[in-house]
């Protein structure tokens, strides 16, 4: 509705099943700001934030199943824990300040702005071409998986940790002002993979 719905969680919000948040009333939409703990404590499938923006500076604990974010969000601090999966399936996300694990999976979301990945992260699909920068921090593992193309057009990509590139999908860059990769850590190509400049324009993919 107008002016929209805003939830500020400073305590514990416990999703005790495979439940759904949505913004059916449209207009100015729905934002969920978590500065406390968001817990998914039950359910083997998904708790879904459908057309709801999820902003986190607290703890996300997916103890079971999946927390599926379909409308983007901002992870400015806190941490992700639990044995379940935190799925970034659609929308725009910024990750800068949150400690993540390999249970955090980008499978369609777009990274934008200035991103610092700290801990671990799995990139299955989803373009990062709206990003201004992506930094993989020291003692961090970024896993690039699946056969989907991984697009980093117009991205400044800096690796201080480990990039484990195990998926068949190409890593594609270029565009304006082009793509630059600075590798100060380990970039591990675990197969016969391809890095190319599909986006043309400035025609540059610089790997330093």
């Amino acid at each position: 509705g107008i002016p929209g719905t805003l939830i500020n969680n400073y305590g514990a919000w416990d999703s005790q099943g495979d439940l759904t948040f949505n913004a059916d009333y449209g207009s100015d939409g729905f934002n969920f700001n978590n500065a406390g703990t968001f817990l998914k404590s039950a359910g083997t499938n998904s708790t879904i934030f459908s057309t709801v923006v999820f902003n986190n500076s607290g703890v996300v604990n997916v103890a079971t199943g999946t927390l599926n974010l379909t409308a983007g969000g901002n992870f400015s601090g806190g941490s992700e824990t639990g044995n379940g999966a935190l799925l970034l399936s659609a929308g725009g996300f910024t990750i800068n300040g949150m400690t993540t694990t390999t249970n955090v999976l980008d499978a369609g979301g777009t990274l934008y702005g200035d991103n610092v990945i700290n801990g671990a992260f799995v990139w299955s699909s989803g373009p990062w071409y709206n990003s201004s920068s992506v930094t993989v921090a020291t003692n961090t593992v970024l896993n690039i998986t699946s056969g989907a193309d991984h697009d980093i057009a117009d991205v400044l990509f800096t690796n201080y940790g480990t990039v484990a590139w195990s998926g068949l999908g190409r890593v594609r860059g270029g565009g304006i002002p082009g793509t630059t990769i600075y590798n100060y850590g380990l970039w591990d190509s675990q197969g016969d993979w391809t890095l190319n400049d599909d986006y043309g324009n400035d025609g540059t993919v610089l790997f330093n």
Side-chain angles (χ1 to χ4, degrees), residues 129 131-132 152-157 172-181 197 199-206:
Y129 51 72
S131 303
S132 59
I152 52 173
D154 306 324
V155 171
L156 172 61
F157 189 109
R172 308 189 303 171
I176 298 174
T179 299
T180 301
I181 297 173
D197 171 25
Y199 285 90
N201 296 318
D202 280 4
T204 55
V205 178
L206 299 176

Side-chain angles (χ1 to χ4, degrees), residues 46-66:
S46 294
T47 289
I48 302 174
F49 277 69
S50 175
T51 62
V52 178
V53 176
F54 186 88
N55 301 305
N56 185 73
S57 59
V59 175
V60 178
N61 183 354
V62 186
T64 182
T66 300

Side-chain angles (χ1 to χ4, degrees), residues 7-27:
I7 294 177
N8 293 315
N9 179 48
Y10 298 102
W13 192 291
D14 182 7
S15 173
Q16 299 176 352
D18 300 319
L19 311 174
T20 301
F21 268 116
N22 64 10
D24 274 5
Y25 289 92
S27 299

Side-chain angles (χ1 to χ4, degrees), residues 82-188:
N83 295 320
L86 175 59
L87 180 64
L88 316 182
S89 63
F93 296 90
T94 302
I95 302 173
N96 193 338
M98 184 177 183
T99 301
T100 57
T101 72
T102 52
N103 291 335
V104 181
L105 173 64
D106 185 359
T110 298
L111 291 193
Y112 68 97
D114 295 323
N115 297 272
V116 178
I117 298 171
N118 184 46
F121 193 79
V122 177
W123 184 17
S124 173
S125 64
W128 293 4
Y129 51 72
N130 288 330
S131 303
S132 59
S133 67
V134 176
T135 300
V136 178
T138 303
N139 298 321
T140 294
V141 178
L142 170 64
N143 297 277
I144 302 178
T145 66
S146 88
D149 286 332
H150 295 75
D151 294 340
I152 52 173
D154 306 324
V155 171
L156 172 61
F157 189 109
T158 307
N159 175 44
Y160 293 102
T162 297
V163 174
W165 186 11
S166 63
L168 177 62
R170 298 168 296 177
V171 174
R172 308 189 303 171
I176 298 174
T179 299
T180 301
I181 297 173
Y182 289 101
N183 181 45
Y184 298 102
L186 172 64
W187 190 291
D188 182 7

